[in-house]
Amino acid sequence: MKTIIAACSQNLSGSRASIQTALRTLLAVPWPSQRDVRSALQLLAVLQWVLSFLLLGTVSLLLLVYLLFTSLWLVPVLYLAWIIFDWDTPEKGGRRLPCLRRWTVWKHFRDYFPVKLVKTHDLSPSHNYIIGSHPHGILCVGAFCNFITGSTGFEELFPGIRSFLTTLAGNFRLPVFREYLMSGGLCPVTRRAIGYLLSQKGTGNAVAIVIGGAAESLSCRPGVTTLILKNRKGFVRMALRHGAFLVPSFSFGENDLFRQVVFEEGSWMRSIQRRFQKMMGFAPCLFYGRGLTSGQSRGFLPYSSPITTVVGEPVAVPKVENPSRELVDQYHELYIRALLKLFNENKTKYGLSESDELHIL
């Protein structure tokens, strides 16, 4: 019996010693600093945004198709009925949710890069505006952060102005993803949708259009300042029809967020990209960024490179219901001049050299 008691006492002493050792080891581990916590939150904010834009629509569609063949078949049927009933809403201003635009996660998203919005001139609430957003980049981070989220203070910098951002109309045909886009203030880049915002919502509306589109994304790479704009005149025609002032904006650093495999003009891969773009409306880019574990690893997240979006001086545009080609060309040229002025006056402030030029194709 004494032997058993001694053995139990020895085991208990050993257990206490093991627990004490484990606690000392645990307490010796350094707790994450506030900087580490902020970095983790910023990384998660960007991760959810990238996954939402790349996968939310496709995953939601596959899930609804799967549910059709289960006992929950009524869920996708009811949602499909809702989409049919709600089909025209994206082209009629959508459904902005101010609470989503003020979501705290967007502040972490902004600080990851960071993204900054710079105002050079006032925008009067008595007019409507079409803001040209340049360059396209890979995922239009600057345009999204500044014109959709409230994290960079657009409403404070331009009081009385409501900002919208246009994107491919096909995105609004994807279940759940369409609700996500509309809640932030995105609308289809169609004549009907833009015309509605400029004519049926009063004044003080600013519709941002990434004019270069998918074609411009194919040339996106660090150090390149080439825009697809010379033959893009539809936005000028829309501005004239509705008397909306034209406002140039440029996001310095947008092309530094990813690395892209750029195929030479005339190559068979470039040809495939062009054909895909014409059929689907967007170009399949082969790009990579940083991974989840570190900035040196490769993955699908953007690099944390600063983006500064500078909003330039508005070009006053008259209201002409049926503008002639000559008038469209005239205001298109005025817009290009305003954009070049904006670029040249700010390039050395935000990472470019005096010798860098803006090439317009």
Side-chain angles (χ1 to χ4, degrees):
M1 178 63 73
K2 290 181 179 180
T3 304
I4 295 174
I5 293 173
C8 290
S9 299
Q10 186 175 2
N11 288 338
L12 288 173
S13 299
S15 298
R16 283 196 296 270
S18 299
I19 293 172
Q20 290 173 354
T21 302
L23 287 173
R24 283 195 295 268
T25 303
L26 181 62
L27 292 173
V29 175
W31 289 87
S33 64
Q34 290 185 352
R35 180 179 179 182
D36 293 333
V37 172
R38 285 196 301 268
S39 296
L41 290 174
Q42 292 166 11
L43 192 64
L44 289 173
V46 174
L47 176 63
Q48 67 82 26
W49 179 78
V50 172
L51 291 178
S52 296
F53 267 80
L54 295 182
L55 298 177
L56 181 59
T58 302
V59 171
S60 299
L61 179 61
L62 293 175
L63 178 61
L64 289 176
V65 171
Y66 168 75
L67 291 177
L68 279 173
F69 301 95
T70 68
S71 58
L72 298 175
W73 60 269
L74 188 60
V75 173
V77 169
L78 290 175
Y79 185 70
L80 179 60
W82 161 253
I83 289 181
I84 294 173
F85 173 78
D86 196 54
W87 191 259
D88 290 334
T89 299
E91 295 194 330
K92 292 182 178 180
R95 275 189 300 274
R96 290 163 59 101
L97 295 178
C99 60
L100 184 64
R101 291 168 66 96
R102 294 192 298 266
W103 200 15
T104 303
V105 73
W106 299 131
K107 294 181 180 179
H108 298 303
F109 179 87
R110 171 201 64 196
D111 294 338
Y112 170 85
F113 298 98
V115 182
K116 181 182 179 183
L117 180 64
V118 176
K119 180 180 82 168
T120 61
H121 292 78
D122 291 329
L123 298 182
S124 171
S126 61
H127 298 289
N128 284 325
Y129 303 89
I130 290 181
I131 300 178
S133 179
H134 310 276
H136 182 283
I138 296 293
L139 294 179
C140 303
V141 172
F144 177 87
C145 191
N146 288 299
F147 302 127
I148 291 302
T149 79
S151 61
T152 57
F154 182 92
E155 294 179 353
E156 289 73 25
L157 287 174
F158 302 101
I161 304 296
R162 295 176 296 275
S163 61
F164 299 85
L165 179 63
T166 59
T167 185
L168 293 174
N171 289 330
F172 295 89
R173 304 303 177 233
L174 294 172
V176 181
F177 191 43
R178 69 191 295 273
E179 322 300 341
Y180 176 80
L181 294 177
M182 284 192 292
S183 64
L186 283 104
C187 63
V189 60
T190 62
R191 292 181 181 178
R192 183 184 178 190
I194 297 172
Y196 183 92
L197 293 173
L198 297 177
S199 62
Q200 303 296 320
K201 301 276 287 185
T203 59
N205 301 296
V207 183
I209 303 175
V210 187
I211 298 168
E216 194 171 276
S217 66
L218 293 177
S219 301
C220 168
R221 60 184 185 273
V224 174
T225 50
T226 300
L227 304 182
I228 306 297
L229 179 58
K230 187 174 293 184
N231 295 318
R232 301 290 175 97
K233 301 179 181 179
F235 72 102
V236 178
R237 185 172 288 105
M238 286 294 298
L240 285 164
R241 285 177 176 172
H242 298 282
F245 287 15
L246 291 168
V247 183
S249 72
F250 195 94
S251 293
F252 294 91
E254 181 73 43
N255 286 347
D256 298 330
L257 303 183
F258 293 96
R259 306 293 181 264
Q260 181 181 184
V261 180
V262 179
F263 301 100
E264 297 296 329
E265 289 292 345
S267 65
W268 65 275
M269 280 299 298
R270 190 71 162 192
S271 177
I272 290 176
Q273 287 179 315
R274 295 291 188 192
R275 291 178 182 178
F276 193 93
Q277 173 199 332
K278 290 180 180 179
M279 290 188 297
M280 304 299 294
F282 65 94
C285 302
L286 298 179
F287 66 90
Y288 66 89
R290 60 157 291 177
L292 279 171
T293 55
S294 71
Q296 286 69 44
S297 61
R298 289 190 178 185
F300 55 89
L301 295 179
Y303 292 106
S304 54
S305 179
I307 303 173
T308 303
T309 301
V310 185
V311 179
E313 181 179 3
V315 177
V317 176
K319 185 175 181 179
V320 182
E321 187 172 346
N322 294 303
S324 64
R325 179 179 298 180
E326 292 75 16
L327 191 62
V328 171
D329 290 342
Q330 176 186 340
Y331 280 93
H332 185 263
E333 181 62 29
L334 290 174
Y335 175 82
I336 291 179
R337 290 179 187 174
L339 176 61
L340 289 171
K341 178 183 177 184
L342 174 71
F343 177 83
N344 290 325
E345 288 180 349
N346 293 277
K347 60 184 179 181
T348 57
K349 300 177 185 177
Y350 307 114
L352 299 179
S353 65
E354 188 64 41
S355 60
D356 284 321
E357 296 181 355
L358 188 61
H359 303 285
I360 296 178
L361 301 179

